[in-house]
Amino acid sequence: MKVSYHGHSVVKVESNGKTILFDPFINGNDLTDLKVDEVKPDVIIVTHGHGDHLGDTVELAKKNNSLVIANFELAAYLSWQGLNTHGMSIGGAYNFDFGKVKLTPAFHGTGLVTENNEIIYLGMPAGVLLTIDGKTIYHAGDTGLFSDMKLIGDRHPIDLAFLPIGDNFTMGPEDAAYAAKILGAKKVVPIHFNTFPPIKQDPNQFVQMLDEGVGQVLNAGETIEL
């Protein structure tokens, strides 16, 4: 299984001939190496409805007939735009043909800001546990630190965790380092940093806060094999 990072919170998982793409914010993301015309996801998982996570989901899903997995309200909103969706809620899990997806809590806001200065509520933000071929990947989405991360780690041994470190909108490096500790993930990769001025961080300093060998900084396009 190949797991690659593509700037901001974009993560791609390739396994058994399937491509699964998390939070495909590509257009407008100066830190990504991806192009909308070149990526062909079979599955798109969206953690919440903010524009820097929903990103190019509609265009990608329509071009590739992708299955879009998200919380129930966001999935309903996307289905009204003609997408093939599967809605879920926090704590729920579902076995798909490519693997198992479970939504976890994430403490954050959600909603899509329209051109008319309105905010469309798009359900509760989530983290995601993706289990494929006996390996579990945790994408925390946008979240602050919360104590039940220990419960998530106790219930679901995590091989690879993607944790936001940008601060301001999510956990900062110190809280993310504590989250890594209580999650007990074997490997931790920082995400959601340096895309915008308020979330400027040094990911290498974050890695130094973790136990030796746990943290790994991935540049856009770099891959971890599980």
Side-chain angles (χ1 to χ4, degrees):
M1 185 191 326
K2 293 170 59 177
V3 185
S4 52
Y5 176 59
H6 300 278
H8 201 57
S9 297
V10 187
V11 172
K12 182 169 65 175
V13 178
E14 297 170 282
S15 179
N16 295 322
K18 297 282 189 178
T19 298
I20 301 150
L21 194 62
F22 285 84
D23 288 354
F25 173 43
I26 298 172
N27 287 321
N29 179 2
D30 292 337
L31 299 184
T32 191
D33 63 311
L34 298 180
K35 292 180 172 57
V36 170
D37 291 338
E38 296 176 358
V39 63
K40 301 184 183 302
D42 298 288
V43 179
I44 299 171
I45 301 176
V46 184
T47 61
H48 64 291
H50 284 158
D52 60 327
H53 295 261
L54 182 59
D56 301 284
T57 294
V58 173
E59 182 178 354
L60 283 167
K62 285 184 175 180
K63 284 183 176 179
N64 299 285
N65 193 31
S66 311
L67 172 66
V68 180
I69 301 169
N71 73 66
F72 177 80
E73 290 83 0
L74 179 52
Y77 172 79
L78 293 172
S79 73
W80 299 336
Q81 299 180 60
L83 304 191
N84 177 24
T85 66
H86 183 102
M88 301 180 67
S89 291
I90 302 297
Y94 191 84
N95 288 306
F96 296 89
D97 61 356
F98 59 86
K100 182 178 180 180
V101 173
K102 183 174 184 177
L103 298 191
T104 69
F107 285 81
H108 192 60
T110 190
L112 187 65
V113 179
T114 72
E115 295 179 355
N116 298 321
N117 294 327
E118 298 174 333
I119 297 178
I120 301 172
Y121 172 71
L122 292 175
M124 292 182 66
V128 178
L129 289 163
L130 171 64
T131 302
I132 301 179
D133 293 336
K135 302 290 186 180
T136 297
I137 300 163
Y138 176 51
H139 190 302
D142 277 6
T143 188
L145 174 66
F146 57 98
S147 60
D148 280 354
M149 285 180 168
K150 184 178 187 306
L151 182 61
I152 292 171
D154 287 346
R155 293 275 294 119
H156 308 278
I158 298 167
D159 295 283
L160 175 60
F162 290 91
L163 302 182
I165 67 164
D167 220 345
N168 196 75
F169 300 112
T170 68
M171 298 184 288
E174 294 81 6
D175 280 357
Y178 189 80
K181 180 179 179 180
I182 61 176
L183 283 164
K186 295 177 183 176
K187 183 70 69 176
V188 175
V189 173
I191 61 173
H192 203 275
F193 64 92
N194 289 353
T195 323
F196 315 111
I199 60 172
K200 192 77 173 174
Q201 298 292 340
D202 182 346
N204 293 296
Q205 288 185 0
F206 164 72
V207 166
Q208 291 171 11
M209 299 177 192
L210 307 181
D211 291 342
E212 186 174 355
V214 172
Q216 183 172 344
V217 176
L218 293 181
N219 294 317
E222 290 187 337
T223 297
I224 289 176
E225 300 263 355
L226 289 182

